[in-house]
């Protein structure tokens, strides 16, 4: 499924108690090039459109990127852990290519 | 308190660019009223690198309400929309930290749309620092 060239990374604790709040750090290599140049010319666009966060396979959030997103998008979220679970993130680009990463949290 | 028109007009016009943000614009137009407070926007005073400006947004909804979505708008960027976060489950805290790209010294506007149809707004100015 990882058809995007960038390497997706998800960092979160390996262990947490049920009900505990954990920090999730997400990073992917991507140029996030809107194609807009200072001189007004237009280069080819290369942008991610969105990032979905999943908890045990359920989408809990969707982040849509605007042109103002920085290259190599980095995000920090906080989630309340329901118990042992799987956290996943899926990035999608404008051509529909995706990158997925997942992480298990044990209690 | 300012008359509501004054608060609504500039933001509504800013939200009228990209089709990807149609949902946010519709939600923003429907939001009534827009209130200050309950939303904390943290930015450096000065951008060292305009391509990587750290930003943190944290909403604190009143008891009984939840945050449906968070939005960040860079008023002076050629494409002002920075991000839209749609929250579908309260396991996720209504907050985000990321890095954004800013074209010049400008005002950043953040919005939180709440479950009762109202919105909260926060604004912060950022000065130009190093090379952009």
């Amino acid at each position: 499924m990882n058809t995007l060239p960038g390497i997706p990374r998800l960092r979160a604790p390996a262990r947490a108690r049920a009900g505990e709040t954990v920090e999730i750090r997400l990073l992917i290599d991507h140029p996030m090039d809107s194609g807009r140049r200072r001189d007004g010319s237009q280069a080819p666009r290369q942008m991610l459109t969105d990032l979905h966060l999943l908890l045990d396979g359920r989408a809990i959030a969707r982040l849509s990127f605007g042109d103002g997103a920085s290259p190599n998008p980095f995000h920090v979220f906080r989630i309340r852990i329901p118990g042992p679970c799987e956290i996943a993130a899926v990035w999608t680009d404008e051509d529909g290519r995706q990158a997925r990463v997942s992480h298990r949290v044990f209690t | 308190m300012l008359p509501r028109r004054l608060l609504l007009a500039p933001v509504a016009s800013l939200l009228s660019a990209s089709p990807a943000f149609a949902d946010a614009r519709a939600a923003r137009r429907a939001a009534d009223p827009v209130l200050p407070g309950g939303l904390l926007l943290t930015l450096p005073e000065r951008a060292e690198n305009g391509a990587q400006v750290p930003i943190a947004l944290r909403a604190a909804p009143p008891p009984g309400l939840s945050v449906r979505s968070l939005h960040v708008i860079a008023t002076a960027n050629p494409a002002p929309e920075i991000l839209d976060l749609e929250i579908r489950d309260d396991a996720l805290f209504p907050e985000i930290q990321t890095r954004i790209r800013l074209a010049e010294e400008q005002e950043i506007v953040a919005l939180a749309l709440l479950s009762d149809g109202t919105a909260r707004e926060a604004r912060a100015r950022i000065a130009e620092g190093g090379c952009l």
Side-chain angles (χ1 to χ4, degrees):
Chain A
M1 181 175 172
N2 284 343
T3 56
L4 272 173
I7 300 164
R9 302 178 190 89
L10 190 164
R11 189 154 293 172
R15 283 187 179 280
R17 293 182 307 277
E20 192 177 335
T21 299
V22 302
E23 192 174 84
I24 295 160
R25 303 166 79 84
L26 295 156
L27 181 67
I28 187 166
D29 308 311
H30 195 280
M32 293 303 274
D33 185 355
S34 68
R36 194 178 283 109
R37 296 290 178 262
R38 286 212 163 253
D39 62 7
S41 64
Q42 186 73 24
R45 253 182 94 82
Q46 241 189 310
M47 291 290 288
L48 295 170
T49 56
D50 52 43
L51 163 65
H52 281 87
L53 279 183
L54 297 96
L55 186 60
D56 289 329
R58 233 165 8 94
I60 59 169
R62 187 189 79 176
L63 177 70
S64 304
F65 296 103
D67 284 3
S70 291
N72 303 325
F74 168 72
H75 295 95
V76 183
F77 295 102
R78 286 197 303 156
I79 291 181
R80 188 171 289 110
I81 293 297
C85 61
E86 186 195 52
I87 303 166
V90 180
W91 289 261
T92 307
D93 78 357
E94 290 186 344
D95 298 322
R97 297 187 298 174
Q98 293 189 320
R100 186 180 199 276
V101 63
S102 67
H103 175 89
R104 283 222 145 269
V105 180
F106 298 93
T107 51
Chain B
M1 179 96 184
L2 289 167
R4 207 179 84 228
R5 281 290 133 212
L6 281 182
L7 285 171
L8 277 175
V11 180
S13 63
L14 286 170
L15 283 168
S16 60
S18 146
F21 290 81
D23 291 352
R25 288 202 304 275
R28 179 66 184 74
R29 271 196 297 273
D32 182 21
V34 178
L35 306 168
L39 186 61
L40 182 65
L41 171 64
T42 311
L43 281 166
E45 273 180 33
R46 190 162 280 281
E48 295 303 328
N49 173 2
Q52 298 275 353
V53 181
I55 177 174
L57 186 61
R58 176 176 290 195
L65 296 183
S66 59
V67 177
R68 291 243 170 92
S69 61
L70 293 173
H71 310 273
V72 178
I73 300 144
T75 54
N77 271 17
E81 295 85 357
I82 299 280
L83 65 87
D84 269 346
L85 177 67
E86 182 194 333
I87 299 171
R88 298 180 183 169
D89 190 299
D90 58 13
L92 186 80
F93 283 66
E95 58 182 53
I96 181 170
Q97 289 176 52
T98 187
R99 300 175 193 140
I100 65 175
R101 180 151 46 191
L102 298 176
E104 55 189 275
E105 173 175 338
Q106 59 177 292
E107 186 174 49
I108 308 300
V109 180
L111 288 167
L113 301 182
L114 304 190
S115 49
D116 66 349
T118 65
R120 299 294 183 275
E121 186 181 275
R123 289 166 178 263
R125 275 213 77 82
I126 182 158
E128 194 167 345
C131 50
L132 290 185

